[in-house]
Amino acid sequence: MMGTGRRLFDKTSSLVPLISIVLGLLVGAAVMAAGGYDPIAAYRSLLDKVFGSKFDIGETLRQITPLIFTGLSVAFAFRTGLFNIGAEGQFIMGMTGATVVGVTVDLPAFIHAPLAIAAGAMAGGLWGALTGYLKARRGVNEVISSIMLNWIALYLSNFIIRQFLLEPGQQRSRMIHESASVSLAGLSKGMDYARMHIGMLFALAGVALFYVLLWRTKQGYELRAVGHNPEAARYAGMKVSRTIIKAMFISGLFAGLAGTFESLGVFHYEVIAASSPGYGFDGIAVSLLGGNTPLGILLAAALFGALTYGSAGMSFGADVPTEIARIVIGAVIFFVASHGIVRWLLKPDWFRKLNRPEAEREKGAAVHEHP
Amino acid sequence: MSDASVPAAVELIGITKRFPGLTANDGIGFQLNRGEIHALLGENGAGKSTLMNILFGLYQPDEGEIRIHGQSTVINGPSRAIELGIGMVHQHFKLVQTFTVADNIVLGSEPAAAGGLRLKKKEAEARVRELSAKYGLEVDPQLRVERISVGMQQRVEILKTLYRGADILILDEPTAVLTVGEIEELMLILRRLTAEGKSIILITHKLKEIMKASDRVTVIRRGKAVGTVRTEQTSEGELAAMMVGRPVTIHERGRRRAPGGIVLEMNGLSMQGERGRPVLHGVSFSVREGEIVGIAGVDGNGQHELVEAVTGLAAVSSGTVRIGGHDMTNRPPGELLRAGIAHIPEDRHKHGLILDFTLGENMVLGGHSSSMYSQYGFLRRKSIEREAQLLVERFDVRTPGIQYTARTLSGGNQQKAIIARELSRGPKLIVAVQPTRGLDIGAIAFVHERLLAAREEGKAILLVSYELDELFSLSDRVLVMCGGAVMGELDARQRDDEMLGLMMCGRIDKRSEEVLGHDGNRPQTVR
């Protein structure tokens, strides 16, 4: 219950991500140089793209928002001892839930928008709880069930859109009613029409909620207890199965909100998609990068979102193909994920052992297949 | 045994090892003569393990010198230690369960042919047989480790070190996992090994074994070597005092107070195990206020299941459990906790604590729902911290602070923390399973005092232990279990080891006062 500062952002784990990021950027630079591109120009245009104009700053924030939610989603499950690969599916269900209410219901804005948000959150939450139920009561490994549920979610929402919400002649749903929109028109205008929406505030509130829920409430105490040691939790009279379902529900809720705001705040419709958008999978990387701490996730999502959005600039400004831009992102995640390498490099005698830079580079390149 | 002309097998001079915030070893000197059994005695956290890990190359000392057979040496890793002929048998065995005994022994230095592609299995087995015969370490090389007893697994571990040519053996708490018979056997083996010229360091905190097995004893207290004495010239009392740093009074049990009303009552409890195998059948007894009822028996004869039935962790198939007159059969653990059960579980890491939680958080585990610790769904952190701090002080849990994780505490302090928490709940019934397992003498005395004090306060206590001395010195009555049934009851004041032994292996079933046949089979329980 003590050491709040440490819990918000673990000091021991803050140096490692920092160095990992630098290493990732260096490896990315090496890859670009090897491919005949100018890494300095590329990184400059990346920064340009992120901070270059009001519009770009706004759009970067837009990019970061769903990553905060999915990062919180994965981290919340992780804190309860669960590996939620299903944030992707919960994201899609959240988006669909919100879209359905946004399109089909017609109400005054002050009811409609909250209702649509709640519907999206619930849809994601229940989708997550399904995984939790299968784990708790039927012993199905949550990794497997949630991967499967990702596909089911994708095709289920495609079906719902095509069957009930289809805009004639288009591969997408009808537009949601204006009353369900959570876009911030005034702010958007101020940001040169970047797609600003209220979800960004919700994401920040989510970060705070994540902390309060886990470390200040009785529920959070039980959730963490089950996460660390389910047996001891059972001995202490906690209902482990119910706690697992609860944890997956809350985890799904976060992911569902990510999808909700993509629909209600950004696109105002939902497309029939051939593959899932990937925010849920990116959430795994974000939670990892952020060390499953609330502030860490916020920073990680910011980095991740900025890199993703800025990588477009690399293609424009320095002709770097998007594939290479993804390698750079992959390299950063790779180094963060492999704490061992960074800790080893931090040792004073590292230069004696570092005699095979090609191997390092290959390892970096090997993860460019980023989901 | 020591000869001035022969250099000592091991000589540690002024070994100092510092960890952040702690000097684990402070200028320790230690000498192991050839062919002797030298016990290393100390409380948990005194620095025994650190010292031995230094000798085995797992840690590097900050200061000091290591001499092996008179040669000053740097041991920079276990492989160097093995080269020097040092072998270590850890408390928790490191065997591959699915491999055979022979495979495990040769693992890492297998006799191989065809450039390492083919394992010479026959040769390996022959070598193992040879070693096994030489030192009287009876094992069957072809059996898989998962099929053999704990005692045999330990012999495999010892053989493993001998196979690698060890002549200096370090045994870390070797008797912790053994039965009485196996301990006797181990003692013989150790004697045999020293007769063959091996030198042995025995890490333990069991005084009886030291008196029986060792030639000399070095006592370590708070990172310092307090002294080395010849075993024949010392006594348990003196060793205990050296270890703890003050005279220890072996506990006199309090005057027996008349038990009050029935708190726990079990009637005809039966439980099905895996594949419908009965693991408890027809268990009936009761525990009264102000009474300690001990459960004796060889491990695995239904004690574990009995505890699970009482605490709600496993469901019984028939029979009833009543607590304070209320039927609590098959109620969930949380409800039983609230009904006034305190549980000191056997495995404190797995069941008693959440090691990555702070000590403060652990102190309210199970009680976190009470209005004292949570309100409107939020934790009352001030109140939790205050209570935790109070308990830490009252139960003398040594910790730098309640904000540190339970993992950082020594075993004895972890156990103290659990006991503090469980007793502070204000229970009617205390279920204590092996409450002093792995604790040093000071902590054991503490736990015993607390349990006896709880009895004086009128608590009902169900005590399961495999330490017969503990059982008989604390309990008012002792029930003996075998094969999931209660064989009978003994008055704790009149300990009869022969009768006890016969009941523990099911030869005497006092329920029918019938002496069973001597075919060695478990008796068919009379229904």
Side-chain angles (χ1 to χ4, degrees), chain B residues 126-330:
Chain B
R127 276 283 286 147
V128 170
R129 283 219 170 78
E130 184 190 321
L131 275 173
S132 154
K134 185 172 173 191
Y135 297 104
L137 287 152
E138 191 195 319
V139 294
D140 182 341
Q142 289 175 325
L143 281 182
R144 275 197 291 174
V145 164
E146 59 193 355
R147 304 227 170 271
I148 66 179
S149 71
V150 176
M152 194 183 280
Q153 290 187 22
Q154 186 172 56
R155 294 199 286 276
V156 172
E157 284 281 8
I158 296 173
L159 277 171
K160 223 164 89 179
T161 64
L162 296 174
Y163 180 80
R164 280 161 184 68
D167 59 1
I168 298 161
L169 271 73
I170 307 168
L171 285 90
D172 189 1
E173 298 285 351
T175 59
V177 289
L178 301 184
T179 63
V180 183
E182 284 172 330
I183 292 174
E184 295 286 331
E185 212 170 320
L186 176 69
M187 296 301 164
L188 287 176
I189 290 168
L190 296 186
R191 280 293 162 212
R192 185 115 178 217
L193 287 168
T194 51
E196 293 284 341
K198 308 285 182 196
S199 317
I200 297 171
I201 302 174
L202 193 65
I203 306 177
T204 185
H205 50 239
K206 291 191 183 163
L207 296 171
K208 278 218 171 76
E209 283 158 18
I210 286 181
M211 296 307 293
K212 217 187 262 178
S214 66
D215 300 309
R216 287 196 300 162
V217 188
T218 294
V219 181
I220 295 182
R221 186 172 75 233
R222 296 186 183 210
K224 287 186 178 159
V226 184
T228 300
V229 290
R230 297 198 66 79
T231 310
E232 60 205 20
Q233 291 164 358
T234 185
S235 65
E236 277 186 51
E238 189 191 350
L239 288 176
M242 280 171 83
M243 181 161 85
V244 184
R246 59 184 154 83
V248 178
T249 46
I250 305 295
H251 200 83
E252 276 298 310
R253 70 216 203 101
R255 200 144 32 87
R256 206 181 141 144
R257 112 181 205 163
I262 290 176
V263 176
L264 170 69
E265 188 179 9
M266 280 165 285
N267 221 318
L269 275 194
S270 294
M271 191 190 285
Q272 307 285 322
E274 284 168 44
R275 297 191 208 102
R277 194 173 51 93
V279 285
L280 273 188
H281 37 209
V283 173
S284 306
F285 67 91
S286 57
V287 185
R288 292 168 173 276
E289 284 172 5
E291 177 182 53
I292 300 182
V293 173
I295 303 288
V298 179
D299 191 5
N301 274 283
Q303 299 95 320
H304 180 68
E305 288 78 8
L306 175 68
V307 168
E308 287 197 331
V310 172
T311 51
L313 291 160
V316 297
S317 46
S318 65
T320 54
V321 178
R322 297 173 78 82
I323 290 163
H326 301 285
D327 187 354
M328 292 304 244
T329 317
N330 291 342

Side-chain angles (χ1 to χ4, degrees), chain A residues 66-286:
Chain A
L67 291 173
I68 295 175
F69 278 122
T70 54
L72 290 174
S73 165
V74 175
F76 195 88
F78 190 82
R79 287 277 179 194
T80 323
L82 300 162
F83 197 14
N84 181 15
I85 308 277
E88 190 69 38
Q90 293 141 20
F91 173 95
I92 296 171
M93 290 314 284
M95 196 165 177
T96 309
T99 309
V100 167
V101 173
V103 172
T104 57
V105 179
D106 203 357
L107 284 168
F110 69 93
I111 306 177
H112 196 184
L115 188 69
I117 293 173
M122 280 303 285
L126 291 174
W127 204 249
L130 185 54
T131 299
Y133 169 81
L134 289 171
K135 162 110 184 171
R137 305 267 189 232
R138 295 277 172 269
V140 182
N141 186 301
E142 79 273 15
V143 173
I144 296 176
S145 66
S146 62
I147 289 178
M148 294 305 159
L149 284 169
N150 284 345
W151 292 103
I152 297 173
L154 176 64
Y155 294 116
L156 181 64
S157 2
N158 283 351
F159 169 76
I160 291 171
I161 298 166
R162 193 182 298 282
Q163 204 69 16
F164 306 109
L165 309 172
L166 197 68
E167 175 83 22
Q170 301 262 4
Q171 284 292 304
R172 63 167 177 84
S173 73
R174 297 197 294 278
M175 299 294 281
I176 59 163
H177 289 284
E178 195 54 38
S179 53
S181 167
V182 295
S183 292
L184 298 170
L187 187 61
S188 287
K189 198 173 174 194
M191 301 296 274
D192 291 341
Y193 296 101
R195 291 164 290 177
M196 309 303 286
H197 59 85
I198 205 159
M200 295 163 189
L201 301 177
F202 272 76
L204 289 178
V207 171
L209 183 73
F210 180 95
Y211 170 75
V212 171
L213 198 57
L214 276 177
W215 283 285
R216 292 302 181 97
T217 68
K218 199 187 102 187
Q219 291 293 347
Y221 179 85
E222 296 198 351
L223 288 162
R224 286 184 299 121
V226 169
H228 280 301
N229 188 343
E231 275 294 295
R234 198 166 76 93
Y235 269 58
M238 298 174 199
K239 296 186 170 106
V240 175
S241 303
R242 193 181 290 180
T243 306
I244 287 174
I245 299 173
K246 207 181 286 169
M248 281 306 297
F249 175 76
I250 297 170
S251 174
L253 206 79
F254 278 124
L257 281 171
T260 299
F261 290 114
E262 286 300 282
S263 170
L264 302 181
V266 179
F267 297 109
H268 302 116
Y269 57 79
E270 186 178 353
V271 296
I272 294 173
S275 65
S276 48
Y279 284 117
F281 295 122
D282 289 347
I284 299 171
V286 168

